[in-house]
Amino acid sequence: MNIHISPPQRETRAYIDLSALEHNFKILANQVPGTPLMPAVKANAYGHGSVEVARICQNNGAALLAVATLIECHTLLTNGITTPVLILQDLFPDEVDVAIQLGARMACGSLAYAQLVSEKAQKIGSRAKLHVNVDTGIGRIGMYSQDPVEDLM
């Protein structure tokens, strides 16, 4: 006997008010004047439209935009986003060259990854932009160290 059970279909919809998003971003920026803001727009801005959300953040002073993958970074940069983009997860070695050429910033949680990125940058005659990811105790991602700056030297 074959039994096929399919999940129920939902009629869920999300309506995004971009003017409300802009208003909320400005309120947040006013709460921390002079502090650079880096909104996460990964996963298509959590389903809200990464390019549209990034554009609002860019137009209202975001210092950086955070994404998870190289393709998300590429999507922003090829759609007119000029704010620097930080890729949060380690890339595959063959993606690093592309990220460097795009001018993307990359999160770095280990000396080995920093060395890989450095070697790739040197091979293509460029410089890489790395943000050191330090594990402050949760043990999820990043370099755990008493002195991460010294450990990267």
Side-chain angles (χ1 to χ4, degrees):
M1 169 160 70
N2 291 329
I3 298 174
H4 176 72
I5 300 173
S6 60
Q9 299 298 313
R10 297 181 125 178
E11 295 296 326
T12 305
R13 292 190 175 104
Y15 297 96
I16 309 307
D17 183 339
L18 295 177
S19 63
L21 174 69
E22 181 175 21
H23 173 77
N24 291 343
F25 188 88
K26 287 177 180 178
I27 287 175
L28 180 61
N30 286 334
Q31 294 297 311
V32 290
T35 302
L37 296 179
M38 180 177 60
V41 293
K42 61 185 187 168
N44 195 27
Y46 301 96
H48 297 97
S50 62
V51 174
E52 296 83 357
V53 170
R55 190 167 288 119
I56 286 172
C57 296
Q58 173 177 277
N59 292 343
N60 288 282
L64 291 163
L65 298 165
V67 298
T69 66
L70 178 62
I71 194 76
E72 291 173 338
C73 175
H74 183 265
T75 297
L76 295 180
L77 297 177
T78 57
N79 281 282
I81 301 302
T82 58
T83 299
V85 178
L86 173 64
I87 302 171
L88 297 171
Q89 70 184 24
D90 287 359
L91 299 175
F92 291 110
D94 62 331
E95 294 178 313
V96 172
D97 305 60
V98 177
I100 293 168
Q101 291 168 351
L102 285 172
R105 295 162 186 253
M106 293 168 270
C108 175
S110 72
L111 179 57
Y113 189 70
Q115 289 170 333
L116 168 75
V117 173
S118 177
E119 290 167 9
K120 295 277 192 176
Q122 288 176 13
K123 279 185 182 177
I124 63 173
S126 188
R127 295 183 75 172
K129 298 170 186 158
L130 292 177
H131 289 241
V132 177
N133 191 359
V134 178
D135 178 357
T136 58
I138 198 168
R140 185 168 167 243
I141 55 174
M143 178 192 330
Y144 185 76
S145 170
Q146 294 297 320
D147 190 352
V149 174
E150 180 64 30
D151 288 347
L152 283 174
M153 296 301 180

